[in-house]
Amino acid sequence: MSAHGWTTPAREALRVGAGFRLADLDPRETPGYEGSKATGSADLADGVPSLGDLQERLFAQSVAGTAAGSVLLVLQGMDTSGKGGIVRHVVGAVDPQGVELASFKKPTAEELQHDFLWRIAKRLPARGKIGVFDRSHYEDVLIGRVRNLAPAEEIERRYGAIERFEADAADRGIRVVKAMLHISKDEQKERLAERLDRPEKHWKYNPGDVDERELWDDYMAAYQVMLERTSTDVAPWFVVPADRKWFARLAVQRLLLAALDDIDPAWPVADYDVEREKVRLAAS
């Protein structure tokens, strides 16, 4: 697998560290990557076989009952930041049997009867699977904070609850990969305008997105606090500049590859006599 334009591994270039300020990161930047769009497209294509191979090994372990780990990809970002495109173009390149996708919308009446993490815990990936959260439990400290959907002390409690929840998941063998897709307000406006200009994209447009744009600065402040409070050693945040779709997809692919490389899944060993089965098959 080539890496034509990478000068620093994505996991290092994009990781939130001490003193990180979201306002200082240009959403059009390509941290750690010096290639062009064409190079990025080539690198994305080159990464597909490795991603597919590692994911197939992991899924094979789940079928065999030998899997010890799994991966959870958390995609969080403002509307139009490219979460769906990453699901299609990155995660969509692997065997769907080994993928568990969850998209968390407004809580139901039943879900509101429980702690905010109740519905999240039920969707953590099984061993041997790649789980994808297209939006996640972080909505509860983002829109919950900006729209005052919970008291300030409850929002504060949630940061600690999330940290403990993710630490427990990591202890159970789940590699948590959290990617915040950082899009600019101007780029979001262009993408929303495109949805209005193209009838086949009208279904993707939500009039409420314009209302949320009025609170852009509040959301950026909420994201800053989220990154500071919940980026940990076992579940760090990676901020992915998302104005360039090709880079966002490439970066998330690299983060996924790194997580799977950590697991390094091996093909399950046959629990039957292979040579005997060859003889039986030949004679059948």
Side-chain angles (χ1 to χ4, degrees):
M1 180 180 60
S2 64
H4 301 115
W6 288 101
T7 57
T8 304
R11 190 153 61 172
E12 296 177 20
L14 303 172
R15 181 168 177 160
V16 169
F20 175 84
R21 293 184 71 253
L22 187 61
D24 293 339
L25 181 62
D26 184 346
R28 291 190 60 78
E29 288 183 16
T30 59
Y33 192 81
E34 294 184 350
S36 63
K37 180 178 180 179
T39 306
S41 296
D43 274 348
L44 185 70
D46 284 349
V48 169
S50 294
L51 186 64
D53 176 64
L54 286 165
Q55 186 264 344
E56 187 177 6
R57 295 183 187 196
L58 188 66
F59 178 57
Q61 288 185 342
S62 76
V63 174
T66 61
S70 59
V71 177
L72 173 62
L73 173 63
V74 177
L75 298 174
Q76 197 68 46
M78 296 293 283
D79 291 304
T80 77
S81 60
K83 297 181 293 294
I86 286 172
V87 171
R88 288 192 300 275
H89 297 284
V90 178
V91 183
V94 304
D95 186 344
Q97 294 182 94
V99 176
E100 298 176 349
L101 175 65
S103 183
F104 297 97
K105 306 297 184 183
K106 181 179 178 180
T108 65
E110 179 189 15
E111 290 167 345
L112 288 172
Q113 298 299 313
H114 300 270
D115 181 75
F116 78 105
L117 288 171
W118 178 76
R119 64 176 182 161
I120 309 298
K122 296 193 297 181
R123 302 304 301 271
L124 287 174
R127 290 184 178 184
K129 299 292 186 69
I130 293 177
V132 182
F133 286 178
D134 179 356
R135 295 189 184 277
S136 68
H137 42 302
Y138 285 99
E139 293 292 289
D140 293 283
V141 293
L142 290 169
I143 189 171
R145 182 188 183 103
V146 173
R147 289 290 186 177
N148 298 311
L149 300 181
E153 58 270 21
E154 169 60 15
I155 298 295
E156 185 66 22
R157 180 194 72 84
R158 290 175 182 176
Y159 295 119
I162 288 172
E163 184 174 346
R164 291 188 296 273
F165 175 74
E166 293 176 346
D168 180 65
D171 286 342
R172 291 157 52 192
I174 300 175
R175 266 70 171 182
V176 183
V177 180
K178 302 186 298 192
M180 184 242 166
L181 305 179
H182 183 36
I183 188 175
S184 67
K185 191 176 182 181
D186 287 344
E187 178 66 19
Q188 187 200 54
K189 188 174 185 178
E190 290 185 15
R191 294 183 187 181
L192 288 173
E194 181 185 17
R195 290 180 179 181
L196 288 173
D197 288 340
R198 297 174 59 179
E200 74 274 18
K201 290 197 173 187
H202 285 176
W203 66 275
K204 298 180 70 175
Y205 183 84
N206 181 353
D209 292 344
V210 177
D211 299 325
E212 296 300 288
R213 282 176 59 78
E214 299 300 319
L215 300 169
W216 189 273
D217 291 344
D218 294 332
Y219 273 106
M220 293 302 102
Y223 270 106
Q224 178 66 39
V225 176
M226 176 198 80
L227 295 169
E228 291 173 355
R229 296 294 302 276
T230 62
S231 189
T232 63
D233 289 340
V234 296
W237 272 107
F238 301 96
V239 177
V240 179
D243 275 15
R244 302 176 192 266
K245 293 180 181 180
W246 64 267
F247 175 74
R249 294 167 184 173
L250 176 63
V252 173
Q253 184 197 65
R254 289 285 159 168
L255 294 174
L256 264 181
L257 279 166
L260 287 166
D261 275 333
D262 286 345
I263 297 174
D264 191 20
W267 292 111
V269 177
D271 58 0
Y272 50 83
D273 187 327
V274 175
E275 294 307 317
R276 180 172 180 271
E277 291 305 308
K278 287 181 180 179
V279 172
R280 293 180 64 236
L281 178 61
S284 66

